[in-house]
Amino acid sequence: MDRRSTLIFKGLKVICFYFSLLLLSSCIDAVEPEFEFREGLVFVESIASTVPKASFVTINQSTLEFGVYVVNFVEGASVTFENTGTGEIINLTEIRNSYLPPEDFVVQPGEQWKLNIQLADGKKIASAPEQVLESVPINNIEVRYDPELVFRENLGGKFVPGHEVSIDFEDPADNENYYYWTYKTYENLDFCEKCFEAIWRNGECIPTEIARFRVRYFDYACDIDCWRIRFPETVTIFNDRFSNGKMITQFPVGDVLLYTKENMVVEVQQFSITPAAYDYYKVLKDVVDNNSGLNAPPPAALVGNLSNPDDSEDFVFGRFTAAATSTASLFIDRSSVEGSAIELRDPVNFEPQIASPYPPPATVIAPCSENRERTGVRPEKWESQ
């Protein structure tokens, strides 16, 4: 086995753990390694979309901390999208563990785009050019609630409640089509910051000594209407080999667990992708769904379209995908659903407003800062109660 193949194999051993963090899934609990682990592996995931606010780049790097495998977000990178036809360069901004383009950025069918990254240490990463295909509309979206929707080992080894999300769409008959689905859920967020052993001042949690016999944290309410954004736990893909040109109905694209009983908007994104992108996500799905453990043989090499242009032996995991996207949204009233919410909420605790022992001004609110997991923009389909 040559060095490049060895790196691919070793990297795939840790890829399950990486995507368990990225997708909030649970492949396996953290374990001490039973094989040689190579620190410094870089993992990149990126999508450039035809709809606003759906494009992103995440960059993580593997390391070993206290004998446990972890992946940490890579800060300080220079990240751009490049239109290979026009030469247009779009600069991305680092925002809370992601790199994001301007909010109005979109790609167009027929264009070719690539991803360029330069890390703070000078290392370069580039993707192969990716063609943007035509999007396929979603005709309908619906949900079905199940008090025992899925079994989750990482949530106490039990069945947990939630909604199964399904869609209808008509597959075009003129060519082979490949699909990848993700979604966003929006829940009203009452508190925008929680500071442990600290107080909120000047846009950050400032460590301070908390008065004796008090709760060791303070909550800060959002200064405006704000929504928390969640993403899927699994990978959903499909090809039309056996259904070319047919109407696809009630196709399941995700499970939305009952983390809270807050009302919610679910927005499904349907990506039309290339065969190469489909092959990549198929392997990724196999890895994420693999229940045999971290040390099980990988199903195939998770080879994306990323490389270091200065070093062909320096393997980069992940993929850049330019994808035509269609969306569909639905409001879900969860006020009367059965079952208990998965997330436990701490009692609300505000800073004292009178005779406060902490540096002024006494503060009870924090900003709804825009990032990939939070927004102050009212979601489409949101219904006020």
Side-chain angles (χ1 to χ4, degrees):
M1 183 180 292
D2 60 23
R3 182 171 182 271
R4 180 180 176 85
S5 298
T6 300
L7 289 182
I8 293 173
F9 182 78
K10 291 179 179 177
L12 279 164
K13 296 278 195 168
V14 300
I15 204 84
C16 180
F17 180 76
Y18 165 60
F19 283 104
S20 75
L21 300 180
L22 182 65
L23 299 173
L24 304 180
S25 181
S26 175
C27 294
I28 190 169
D29 294 334
V31 296
E32 294 187 1
E34 296 180 12
F35 54 88
E36 181 185 354
F37 177 74
R38 182 173 183 265
E39 296 185 87
L41 295 172
V42 176
F43 304 87
V44 177
E45 285 300 313
S46 177
I47 287 179
S49 170
T50 56
V51 300
K53 295 187 178 182
S55 303
F56 70 94
V57 177
T58 61
I59 310 170
N60 291 276
Q61 193 167 40
S62 62
T63 188
L64 190 62
E65 294 183 358
F66 307 106
V68 175
Y69 302 132
V70 297
V71 288
N72 294 323
F73 176 71
V74 176
E75 301 177 335
S78 174
V79 182
T80 62
F81 289 147
E82 177 185 349
N83 185 320
T84 59
T86 66
E88 180 184 10
I89 300 294
I90 302 296
N91 293 305
L92 280 69
T93 302
E94 181 181 333
I95 302 177
R96 284 205 177 189
N97 296 338
S98 294
Y99 291 89
L100 304 179
E103 291 187 358
D104 59 353
F105 170 76
V106 294
V107 299
Q108 299 294 335
E111 294 178 338
Q112 279 197 339
W113 288 82
K114 64 175 295 192
L115 171 67
N116 299 303
I117 298 172
Q118 182 166 329
L119 303 183
D121 62 5
K123 175 177 177 175
K124 294 180 180 178
I125 298 170
S127 76
E130 181 87 347
Q131 180 84 22
V132 184
L133 306 178
E134 294 289 338
S135 63
V136 176
I138 297 174
N139 294 347
N140 184 52
I141 177 174
E142 44 185 69
V143 297
R144 177 186 63 85
Y145 181 73
D146 186 340
E148 295 186 340
L149 180 64
V150 292
F151 183 83
R152 284 291 183 266
E153 187 69 40
N154 65 322
L155 296 175
K158 60 182 180 181
F159 285 93
V160 295
H163 291 85
E164 180 188 71
V165 184
S166 62
I167 61 168
D168 302 342
F169 65 98
E170 186 171 359
D171 179 74
D174 53 349
N175 53 17
E176 293 184 355
N177 293 280
Y178 300 85
Y179 303 93
Y180 167 57
W181 287 274
T182 185
Y183 62 77
K184 300 178 182 178
T185 62
Y186 298 84
E187 303 167 44
N188 195 251
L189 189 63
D190 295 321
F191 301 97
C192 279
E193 298 294 340
K194 186 186 209 72
C195 294
F196 291 90
E197 303 287 346
I199 57 176
W200 183 259
R201 297 291 187 274
N202 300 318
E204 60 181 336
C205 290
I206 305 297
T208 190
E209 184 176 347
I210 304 297
R212 292 182 63 190
F213 309 116
R214 289 194 62 89
V215 177
R216 314 312 293 176
Y217 61 84
F218 291 118
D219 293 300
Y220 297 88
C222 300
D223 60 345
I224 60 173
D225 286 341
C226 195
W227 287 267
R228 175 176 181 172
I229 305 172
R230 300 182 195 264
F231 298 91
E233 298 183 349
T234 55
V235 176
T236 305
I237 55 175
F238 179 72
N239 72 67
D240 66 356
R241 181 178 305 169
F242 302 110
S243 57
N244 186 40
K246 296 181 179 179
M247 174 65 73
I248 312 298
T249 60
Q250 296 185 325
F251 185 86
V253 295
D255 294 325
V256 179
L257 304 190
L258 192 70
Y259 286 108
T260 76
K261 287 196 172 182
E262 295 282 348
N263 292 338
M264 175 179 67
V265 165
V266 57
E267 176 190 277
V268 172
Q269 297 173 337
Q270 177 173 280
F271 298 111
S272 296
I273 59 176
T274 63
Y278 176 84
D279 290 342
Y280 170 85
Y281 287 115
K282 185 177 186 303
V283 175
L284 175 58
K285 176 177 175 61
D286 290 341
V287 173
V288 172
D289 292 348
N290 179 12
N291 292 318
S292 298
L294 187 62
N295 290 291
L302 189 63
V303 178
N305 58 356
L306 302 169
S307 63
N308 181 341
D310 297 330
D311 183 358
S312 61
E313 294 295 311
D314 183 15
F315 191 78
V316 180
F317 291 96
R319 194 177 203 285
F320 166 71
T321 300
T325 312
S326 59
T327 65
S329 299
L330 181 70
F331 178 80
I332 304 174
D333 185 337
R334 300 196 293 184
S335 59
S336 60
V337 297
E338 304 173 31
S340 300
I342 295 170
E343 288 185 347
L344 299 178
R345 294 190 172 184
D346 297 323
V348 176
N349 187 52
F350 290 114
E351 274 189 46
Q353 300 298 292
I354 300 176
S356 173
Y358 308 109
T363 304
V364 295
I365 63 172
C368 176
S369 54
E370 288 286 328
N371 57 65
R372 193 164 179 256
E373 298 177 346
R374 179 188 299 176
T375 184
V377 179
R378 182 188 178 96
E380 183 183 358
K381 302 291 186 178
W382 184 262
E383 298 179 11
S384 298
Q385 301 299 298

